[in-house]
Amino acid sequence: MNVLAPLLTPEGRALLDAVRGTAPADELAVATRLRREHPAELVSAAIGQAGLRQRAAVKFGAEDAERMFFTPNGVEQSTRASVAGHRAERMKALGVTSVADLCCGIGGDAIALARAGIRVLAVDRDPAAAEAARANADALGLSGLIEVREADVTEVDTGGYDAVFVDPARRGGRGRIFDPEAYSPPLSWAVGAALAAPRAALKIAPGVPHEAIPAEAEAEWISDGGDVKEAVLWFGTAEPGSVRATLLPGPRTLVGRGLPDPEVRPVGRYLYEPDGAVIRAHLVADVARELDGGLIDETIAYVTADALRPTPYATAYEITDRLPFNVKKLKALLRERGVGILTVKKRGSAVEPEELRKKVLPRDRGPHSATVFLTRVAGAPTMLVGAPAGPAATAGGAS
C-alpha cells in the first residue's frame, strides 16, 4: 500500500498546506476542524507529515523540508544535508558521474548527489522509504537524475555505475546497533560491494573500532558545528589506509600523518579541546604537533600549550586556576570571582556537570562567567578553571 499516495493528490497537498507549521498543542483542534470537510485518515496523515517536516527542518533546512515527504525512521536516520553535500562534492571531485545509492532511505543522500550533477540509482527494500524517496525526487525537481527502485540491495547489479554508496541500517528493534556485522546489510557485505566498484563510500557509525577498518579504505570522520555525525570509509581514492577528520561548515580537513602519541606535560596557560571528529579519528597528536603542545594525561584528549595559536581543529581556553578535585574549594573560588554563569566540561571524570553546577554556584550569583574542566592531570582528579580564549584563537571547531 502506498501510504503517501493520498497526500500526493490535490486534496492531500491542500491539506498539507493547511496544516503547515501546526504546533503540537494545536493539533487536536486543527484536526477536529479539518475532519468536518476531509476524511479523518487523510487529516491524520497530513498532520503527522507536518510534524515530521518540522523535525526534519534541522537536517534539511525549512525550505526543502516543507516540500519533502518523510517517514519517522527516515527523519531519524537520514543524513544531515550539509554532511551529504560534503560527501557528494567529494564524489564529484573523484570524477564520479553515476552512483548506486544502496539503502537510500527517504533519499537524502540521493538528493545531495543529484544536486552535484551525479546520476543516482536509489535502492531500498522498505516500501515506505522507497516511495518517500521517489516523492522527494519529484518534489525537488530531481527525478530526471534519480531513479528509485524498491529492492533488496544485495540483489542489485551495480556494474553500470562509477561508484557505490552504502548506508546500512544501524538501528534495530532495541535501538542502536554497535556491532558492524549486525548492520543491515552487514559491514562485511558492504565492504565486498565497495571493493567490487571503481569507487565507493560506506557510511558507518563514528564509534567504529579502528581495527575494524579495512586496509583498502580511507577513513573519514565528519563533524558539523562541533557535533560528530558519521564516519565514512572511502574506497578507490589515492590514499588507502589514511585517516582524516573533516569539520563542517568549511570544510576543513585534517589528514593524519601517523604521529606517535604526544608526551604528557604540565598544564600550561592554554587548554585546547579538540573537535570530536579529530578525537574519533585519533588525530589528537597532529593537533598537538600543530600547537607545540602536549597532553595533560596520557589517557585524556586535552592538549595543553603555553602559546595561543589559531586552529580550526580545537577550541582554546585560557586556564586561570588548577585545583585538586574539591567541591568546597571550587565553590569558594567561584564566589570570590563573582561567577554566576558556569560551563562544566568533563573528560575522565564520573561527576555529572549539572549536579556540580547546582552545588558550586552561589545563590547570590555574580555577573561573570567561567568554564571548569573536570578531568585528570597526570593521573590525579583535577579541576581546571578558565574561559574561552576568544574568537581569534580558533577559526572553527567546537567541543
Side-chain angles (χ1 to χ4, degrees):
M1 177 182 178
N2 189 332
V3 296
L4 287 181
L7 294 176
L8 299 175
T9 64
E11 182 181 14
R13 292 182 183 277
L15 270 176
L16 285 172
D17 288 338
V19 300
R20 179 179 297 160
T22 300
D26 299 330
E27 286 180 357
L28 180 58
V30 171
T32 301
R33 173 174 55 81
L34 292 174
R35 282 170 182 159
R36 297 170 189 158
E37 300 179 4
H38 303 279
E41 288 186 0
L42 183 58
V43 171
S44 295
I47 289 178
Q49 190 61 220
L52 293 175
R53 286 176 167 182
Q54 290 179 34
R55 288 170 54 195
V58 174
K59 288 186 173 182
F60 292 91
E63 184 177 351
D64 278 353
E66 287 180 358
R67 294 187 288 165
M68 293 172 67
F69 295 85
F70 300 95
T71 65
N73 284 341
V75 172
E76 182 70 26
Q77 299 178 18
S78 57
T79 305
R80 184 179 290 258
S82 56
V83 178
H86 162 71
R87 200 187 309 106
E89 289 301 320
R90 275 208 76 184
M91 285 275 196
K92 184 178 179 180
L94 289 169
V96 171
T97 61
S98 61
V99 173
D101 177 3
L102 308 181
C103 309
C104 69
I106 56 92
D109 287 286
I111 289 166
L113 289 163
R115 283 177 166 168
I118 297 171
R119 179 172 58 89
V120 185
L121 170 64
V123 184
D124 205 291
R125 69 179 180 181
D126 178 6
E131 69 187 45
R134 189 174 293 110
N136 289 335
D138 289 339
L140 299 178
L142 298 169
S143 56
L145 283 170
I146 301 174
E147 174 194 348
V148 179
R149 187 181 303 174
E150 181 189 328
D152 185 331
V153 297
T154 64
E155 299 175 357
V156 174
D157 180 7
T158 62
Y161 294 84
D162 295 343
V164 167
F165 172 66
V166 190
D167 181 6
R170 295 179 300 282
R171 285 183 179 271
R174 298 182 179 180
R176 291 184 184 275
I177 297 171
F178 296 98
D179 178 8
E181 284 308 296
Y183 292 173
S184 180
L187 180 61
S188 57
W189 179 89
V191 169
L195 292 173
R199 304 246 194 284
L202 310 184
K203 176 181 171 181
I204 56 176
V208 64
H210 279 232
E211 56 268 23
I213 298 171
E216 302 91 340
E218 172 201 308
E220 179 182 28
W221 278 260
I222 303 173
S223 68
D224 189 6
D227 295 327
V228 183
K229 295 302 180 184
E230 66 179 56
V232 186
L233 302 184
W234 293 90
F235 295 79
T237 71
E239 301 177 277
S242 69
V243 174
R244 63 172 60 199
T246 295
L247 281 55
L248 302 176
R252 296 176 181 272
T253 297
L254 178 66
V255 179
R257 292 172 286 175
L259 300 178
D261 291 340
E263 293 184 358
V264 175
R265 53 151 290 176
V267 177
R269 181 176 178 182
Y270 297 98
L271 188 75
Y272 291 85
E273 184 178 26
D275 183 274
V278 170
I279 295 173
R280 291 284 194 178
H282 297 180
L283 297 181
V284 174
D286 295 80
V287 172
R289 175 73 63 85
E290 178 183 321
L291 299 171
D292 193 22
L295 299 181
I296 62 171
D297 183 280
E298 63 180 4
T299 65
I300 303 295
Y302 285 138
V303 175
T304 187
D306 296 318
L308 180 61
R309 297 184 180 181
T311 175
Y313 304 113
T315 302
Y317 295 83
E318 185 171 9
I319 300 303
T320 57
D321 300 270
R322 172 182 171 180
L323 307 170
F325 184 83
N326 186 301
V327 173
K328 289 184 179 180
K329 287 185 178 181
L330 179 61
K331 185 174 182 178
L333 176 67
L334 298 178
R335 182 185 296 113
E336 177 187 331
R337 301 279 172 81
V339 172
I341 302 172
L342 182 66
T343 300
V344 181
K345 293 177 172 286
K346 70 170 190 172
R347 189 160 289 153
S349 172
V351 178
E352 290 300 323
E354 189 54 41
E355 208 48 44
L356 180 72
R357 193 180 289 109
K358 291 178 181 177
K359 291 180 179 179
V360 300
L361 281 178
R363 292 180 181 178
D364 52 336
R365 298 186 178 185
H368 303 299
S369 62
T371 300
V372 60
F373 294 87
L374 307 178
T375 187
R376 292 193 303 272
V377 173
T382 303
M383 300 182 295
L384 301 175
V385 182
T394 56
S399 62

